[in-house]
C-alpha cells in the first residue's frame, strides 16, 4: 500500500520497517523512508513497552545501525551532532557508537550498553586551549542518563542495572 497511509494507521509500523531492514540487511525504499521521516513524530503515540520491544529486536539484529531515534531517543540525535576533535576519535560521538554497535555480538545488554555508552559526552564536552575535546566524567554521568532512558522505555531492573554498570566502567583502565 501507500506508505503514508499504512504508517498513519499504526505508527509502530515505522519502527518495524526499520527493524526489518536491520534484521534482513536491506535498505528502505526512498518513498517509504521519506514517509517515515515525515510521520516519525507519531511514534510518540506508541507505548514505551512496544518501542522497547522493537528496539531490543533491532539491537540484536544483524544490522543494528538502522536506527530511528528522534522521538524515543533524542539523546542519540545529539550524539550524532557532537564532534570529537580528539586524536583518539575519527567520528562524531554518534557515528562512533554506530561503528561500535557493528562490532559487538548481538547480545541485548551489550548492544544497549554500546548504544548508550557515550550518551553523556555531549553534556561533558570541554575543549582545551589546543582545541582538543575532552569528555571528563562521561562514564558516570552516562550511567545516570542511561538509567533514565531505560526507565523511560520500561526496561526491567536487571537489564537496566547491568547496562548502567557497563557504562559506568567502560573507560576504566585496570593495571595489567
Amino acid at each position: 500500500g501507500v506508505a503514508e497511509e499504512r504508517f498513519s494507521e499504526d505508527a509502530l509500523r515505522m519502527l518495524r520497517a526499520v527493524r526489518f531492514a536491520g534484521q534482513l540487511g536491506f535498505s528502505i525504499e526512498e518513498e517509504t523512508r521519506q514517509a517515515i521521516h515525515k510521520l516519525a513524530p507519531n511514534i510518540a503515540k506508541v507505548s514505551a513497552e512496544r518501542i522497547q520491544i522493537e528496539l531490543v529486536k533491532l539491537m540484536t539484529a544483524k544490522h543494528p545501525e538502522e536506527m530511528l531515534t528522534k522521538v524515543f531517543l533524542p539523546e542519540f540525535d545529539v550524539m550524532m551532532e557532537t564532534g570529537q576533535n580528539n586524536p583518539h576519535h575519527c567520528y562524531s560521538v554518534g557515528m562512533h557508537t554506530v561503528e561500535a554497535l557493528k562490532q559487538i555480538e548481538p547480545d541485548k545488554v551489550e548492544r544497549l550498553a554500546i548504544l548508550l555508552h557515550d550518551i553523556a559526552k555531549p553534556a561533558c564536552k570541554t575543549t582545551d586551549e589546543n582545541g582538543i575535546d575532552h569528555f571528563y566524567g562521561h562514564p558516570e554521568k552516562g550511567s545516570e542518563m542511561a538509567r533514565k532512558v531505560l526507565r523511560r522505555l520500561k526496561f526491567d531492573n536487571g537489564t537496566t542495572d547491568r547496562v548502567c554498570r557497563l557504562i559506568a566502567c567502560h573507560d576504566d583502565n585496570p593495571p595489567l
Side-chain angles (χ1 to χ4, degrees):
V2 178
E4 281 194 41
E5 289 177 17
R6 299 295 80 79
F7 296 148
S8 294
E9 293 168 356
D10 182 0
L12 185 62
R13 290 176 178 160
M14 290 181 274
L15 293 174
R16 287 183 176 149
V18 172
R19 188 231 322 156
F20 288 144
Q23 285 179 323
L24 303 172
F26 65 81
S27 297
I28 296 174
E29 186 267 334
E30 186 55 34
E31 199 171 301
T32 303
R33 183 178 295 282
Q34 288 175 7
I36 290 171
H37 284 284
K38 179 180 177 182
L39 298 172
N42 292 343
I43 294 171
K45 299 174 187 174
V46 176
S47 74
E49 292 86 354
R50 303 287 298 275
I51 291 170
Q52 180 210 120
I53 289 167
E54 291 302 319
L55 178 61
V56 168
K57 288 179 179 179
L58 177 60
M59 285 296 100
T60 56
K62 189 173 185 176
H63 296 279
E65 69 274 11
E66 294 290 335
M67 287 188 280
L68 176 62
T69 59
K70 193 166 218 70
V71 175
F72 68 89
L73 191 57
E75 298 89 347
F76 188 79
D77 291 346
V78 175
M79 291 166 59
M80 290 298 285
E81 298 165 0
T82 302
Q84 300 187 98
N85 185 27
N86 184 296
H88 304 291
H89 293 286
C90 61
Y91 299 113
S92 71
V93 175
M95 283 308 298
H96 160 76
T97 299
V98 167
E99 292 302 316
L101 278 170
K102 294 178 189 178
Q103 304 305 315
I104 299 297
E105 291 297 317
D107 173 81
K108 176 175 90 170
V109 169
E110 291 178 21
R111 288 255 177 104
L112 287 169
I114 289 296
L115 175 66
L116 300 172
H117 82 284
D118 282 344
I119 193 170
K121 275 191 168 183
C124 295
K125 182 177 178 178
T126 60
T127 305
D128 69 20
E129 63 278 354
N130 297 317
I132 304 297
D133 293 334
H134 301 278
F135 305 92
Y136 301 117
H138 83 275
E140 298 83 16
K141 183 167 180 64
S143 180
E144 295 168 15
M145 290 177 70
R147 186 169 301 280
K148 289 177 184 173
V149 167
L150 295 169
R151 283 190 177 146
R152 184 174 72 220
L153 293 174
K154 310 289 188 199
F155 277 89
D156 63 275
N157 290 336
T159 298
T160 299
D161 290 343
R162 287 183 286 160
V163 168
C164 292
R165 278 196 312 267
L166 286 170
I167 292 169
C169 66
H170 84 267
D171 264 0
D172 287 356
N173 291 313
L176 298 176

